Amino acid sequence: MAGFWRHCAGAIVAAQAFFASWPVTPAVAQDLYDQPVLAVDPGMHTARIWSLAVDAAGRYAVTGGGDRTVRIWSATERKLLRTIFMPVGPDPVGEVYAVAISPDGSIVAVGGWTERLGGGGPIYLFDRETGFLKDRIELQGSEVPHFLTFSIDGRYLAATLGQSRGVRVYDRDRQWVEAFRDVYEGESYGASFAPDGRLATTSQGSDGVIRLYNPSFRLMGKPVRSQSGVSPRRVAFSPDGRLLAVGYADIPAVDLLDGNSLARLPAPRPVTPTPWPNGLEQVAWSPDGHTLFAAGTADTEPNVLLAWDQAGTGEERRLPFCSAITAAGLNVLPDGQILVASMEPCLGLMSPDGKPIWTTPSPIANFRQQADTLRISADAKVVDFSFGDTPNTRLRFNARSLALTSGTPDDGLTFAPNREGLAIAGWRNGPNPTLMGDQIAIEQNDFSRSVAVAQDGKRFFLGSSFGLAAFDNAGKVVWRRNTRGEVWAVNASRDGRIVVAATGDGAIRWFRADDGRELLALEAVRTGTDWVLWTPEGFYEATPGAKDVLKWVVNHGAKRAPAAVSVSIVAKLHRPDALPLVLSELETARALGIADVAAARLSVQSATGSEKPPGSVLNVLTIGIDEFGEKAAGLHLDYAVEDAHDVAEALENSQKTSSGKATLYADVKLQYLHDETAGRSEILDAMKAMAQTMHRSDSGEDVAVILFSGHGEMIEGQFYLIPYGFDVANMETSAVSADEFARKVKAIAERGKVLLLLDACHSGAIGPGGIPGNADTSVLRNAVDSDNVSVLTSSTKDELSQELPAWRHGAFTQAFLDSLEGAADLSGHGAISINKLADDMAGELANLTNGKQHLGERVNFSGDVFVVNH
């Protein structure tokens, strides 16, 4: 049985007309960014190439990759003709897994994880010459294309899908409507059209079979079980359609099948199969059908392309190509020249006998083997590294002088990652790292890649395939940061302030050690002398050869390709004078000045034509409940609704960006719930929507403010927040438990900071019969204990929260509004930090209530500027 305290008595405050302009139910979060985002574009992919295609005449090559771009090349001249940026959103939205080009070279088809986090986005059809988005083919459910190919006459586009979705075929002559579909039991990664229109496909796993369809897309006999392995990938008809080659992901083998019956034929085998531990996925034929080619993943350097003459039955030849990393695509041009793309990424053209004609290598550093050799100075302002493929050529970047030099003197200035002080094992390229024998909690399917231990031994930093995470010395996660690419190397400054990570996109990034906030990033390009350094807000310095490498990418809706503009066109972003200060101040706003940051954001918005400026967003959810419903036994407050309204209005008016106004935030997103719109499900849904919005933020620097003004109650020893619709006969199921509320807050805090303002009737624990108990809202403060969450509560144990007509607010809200107006000004210039806000609120609350009410607080990110007062 539970009791409750009435907060105060009186009439409900009427909602003002202003309320109607705010959403009373959570809006559905978009899966594409609505702000400009930064991208590195050095003229080549900066992440894995996943797919390669060539037109029938061998004039144009198309590549698509994990950097969320499609690139169109002159296949014979080593010339990049066009870069098409994909509509981008949170990882993996925008990643390209499959490309195809129509036989006449006019249309580029692109598939991957497009537009929606849950998959099921469209296949894009771009005009090859202009890069304009011509059309979209909508997919259903969570369908994600793994492979795309056009029929020989260009009429049909076949898409093979993941998640056991099978194959879809679309008809150009019918405005790309679906002409055929088949569903498989396994993933499908390959398809090939014969000259007469037959279609062959693969599927893997328990459904590891090859299927053959006639030109009308009817099965020609039963599917044939794959012969050499269980993961058949690419397939390729010989030019005359008589033979079908099948490559495998799980075994170094290629099968040859009859192109009409799928009967097995004598097939080639590598003379030495061991260099290809993950198979030979890619297969292709010479134009005359005389030579069969295959490529895959090799342990040796360099990787090689296998070739068998006599239609695949002759002697094996080995032809080196541009990389030791897995081949991502293999095409033979009409003149017999061979084009190979590697995941490294690189793209290379070879003569028919394997001699290199041209190579476009990866333009970025490869940090895969630098887990032990990424060295930094004690303050992390000097970093020593190499490009990876030339490990003996070391480079040094000095963030104080903004200089990149070759050669690293043996001057004792830098040091390797510390591994002493904590017993961490299994961290090198494995899924099960341990701390003192206990498994470290990394995410499912993640692989650890690197580790560094803080000098005091109280924390360690783990780089992985998914990102960077900090753990305390007991193995508890302190923070996580997703990164663009795997974290191959990590180091921690000896002063405990900064973590440096080398990531798979070729960047070196500096993060704050306490909360993982990114401070700076460096991209050194392949010349060895050119580089660009930038902050997450886009302030930069670059050498002349790299000034256009960093770009702003702006989505323009679902029916247009994004635009990309160089940061160099925004004069306010060029700040070499301020960048060295960022690592000292640990915050861009402090290093450059809040007014400069705000002005630069608006300049970027103007230059890019974006509807919104870039930058972090203040997400506000205010909940005020005066009336609790017919089953709430008369629970009632006077000013909780007004509390929620006025806090939301004050934050929006003071923090929303506009011309001539210096703010920390690019935008303010409000959700306001009151009385009937603040039921249990509405509150939880609003918090879920806020978490989704923050997870869709590119910066990871968003801030959330959540105000709850209403009743709190102890029910069977557990603390609950009381929503509208509370039922005294079913208390536990109609209220929101501290644990449930805390889980929602922690989900929000995964992608930013959270300030929780809690005026839940009072902070005293309430027992049966309305008698104060011995627990208070510290239950909730403890439940949401996280380095990214600060909690301020209206009172401490055994104290009632007060509200008076003179304030027309609760005392807690009045103290917050007073502090926001400037009493907590950090430096006389309107910058208010969380700890100063808390200090001022504590004094103001005690003053308003004559010492009867005292602030409860848990401040976990005290030093950061929180808001700017105007």
Side-chain angles (χ1 to χ4, degrees), residues 167-253:
V167 65
R168 307 289 183 267
V169 178
Y170 304 96
D171 188 347
R172 177 201 61 199
D173 294 351
R174 297 168 57 203
Q175 289 74 52
W176 301 108
V177 300
E178 184 181 292
F180 168 72
R181 66 163 49 205
D182 200 357
V183 177
Y184 304 158
E185 294 180 7
E187 308 253 345
S188 181
Y189 287 88
S192 179
F193 280 101
D196 64 358
R198 281 170 292 141
L199 174 65
T201 65
T202 64
S203 59
Q204 63 179 42
S206 60
D207 188 45
V209 299
I210 293 88
R211 292 172 172 84
L212 182 63
Y213 304 91
N214 68 18
S216 299
F217 304 115
R218 296 182 181 276
L219 274 173
M220 296 175 62
K222 294 181 179 179
V224 173
R225 178 68 57 181
S226 55
Q227 301 295 320
S228 295
V230 297
S231 297
R233 288 292 179 102
R234 301 291 193 257
V235 288
F237 277 106
S238 60
D240 60 9
R242 294 189 306 108
L243 301 176
L244 183 69
V246 182
Y248 288 89
D250 60 321
I251 187 169

Side-chain angles (χ1 to χ4, degrees), residues 121-142:
I123 296 171
Y124 299 117
L125 299 176
F126 292 98
D127 181 271
R128 189 267 312 157
E129 185 173 0
T130 64
F132 292 163
L133 181 60
K134 293 176 57 118
D135 214 335
R136 298 156 47 94
I137 300 173
E138 298 294 341
L139 300 179
Q140 299 176 0
S142 57

Side-chain angles (χ1 to χ4, degrees), residues 334-359:
D335 61 3
Q337 293 180 339
I338 309 159
L339 188 65
V340 184
S342 165
M343 289 184 181
E344 184 167 318
C346 76
L347 184 66
L349 183 69
M350 303 184 295
S351 66
D353 58 359
K355 294 179 181 179
I357 297 174
W358 57 258
T359 297

Side-chain angles (χ1 to χ4, degrees), residues 392-536:
N392 295 326
T393 302
R394 301 286 290 173
L395 300 172
R396 169 171 287 184
F397 185 79
N398 190 322
R400 303 188 192 100
S401 60
L402 300 183
L404 179 68
T405 56
S406 60
T408 53
D410 188 14
D411 54 8
L413 181 62
T414 61
F415 57 90
N418 177 46
R419 306 264 167 74
E420 303 295 326
L422 294 174
I424 302 172
W427 58 266
R428 198 183 297 272
N429 301 322
N432 300 304
T434 61
L435 172 65
M436 294 181 291
D438 295 327
Q439 188 160 338
I440 298 169
I442 65 174
E443 297 183 25
Q444 186 177 6
N445 300 321
D446 199 3
F447 275 72
S448 63
R449 301 298 189 189
S450 53
V451 73
V453 178
Q455 289 297 308
D456 60 8
K458 293 182 179 180
R459 283 190 181 183
F460 66 95
F461 306 95
L462 192 72
S464 72
S465 296
F466 294 170
L468 180 66
F471 298 82
D472 65 18
N473 55 10
K476 179 184 175 182
V477 176
V478 178
W479 51 260
R480 294 187 192 272
R481 281 282 173 171
N482 294 332
T483 57
R484 292 297 299 166
E486 305 191 61
V487 178
W488 292 107
V490 63
N491 206 335
S493 65
R494 289 188 172 179
D495 60 12
R497 302 171 78 234
I498 294 172
V499 182
V500 180
T503 54
D505 59 354
I508 293 173
R509 301 178 187 274
W510 288 259
F511 300 87
R512 291 201 313 205
D514 61 348
D515 62 5
R517 181 173 184 171
E518 186 173 333
L519 300 169
L520 285 175
L522 170 75
E523 191 85 34
V525 295
R526 181 63 61 168
T527 62
T529 58
D530 287 319
W531 53 269
V532 57
L533 179 75
W534 70 94
T535 72

Side-chain angles (χ1 to χ4, degrees), residues 39 48 61 146 185 215 320 341 345 373 411 449 541 554 598 625 669 683 748 827 841:
R48 290 179 176 178
H146 285 332
E185 294 180 7
T373 58
D411 54 8
R449 301 298 189 189
E541 171 63 319
V554 186
I625 310 171
K669 295 183 178 179
I683 292 172
I748 296 168
S827 59
M841 284 184 64

Side-chain angles (χ1 to χ4, degrees), residues 726-788:
F726 176 66
D727 185 351
V728 294
N730 297 283
M731 293 185 179
E732 294 182 41
T733 57
S734 61
V736 179
S737 72
D739 288 343
E740 189 170 23
F741 192 81
R743 285 195 297 271
K744 295 291 186 182
V745 171
K746 289 178 180 179
I748 296 168
E750 288 179 1
R751 285 289 288 176
K753 291 183 171 63
V754 180
L755 173 61
L756 177 59
L757 304 171
L758 185 63
D759 190 358
C761 180
H762 53 76
S763 292
I766 305 306
I771 305 301
N774 58 3
D776 61 12
T777 47
S778 64
V779 174
L780 187 52
R781 290 203 305 271
N782 292 335
V784 295
D785 185 22
S786 166
D787 283 6
N788 260 15

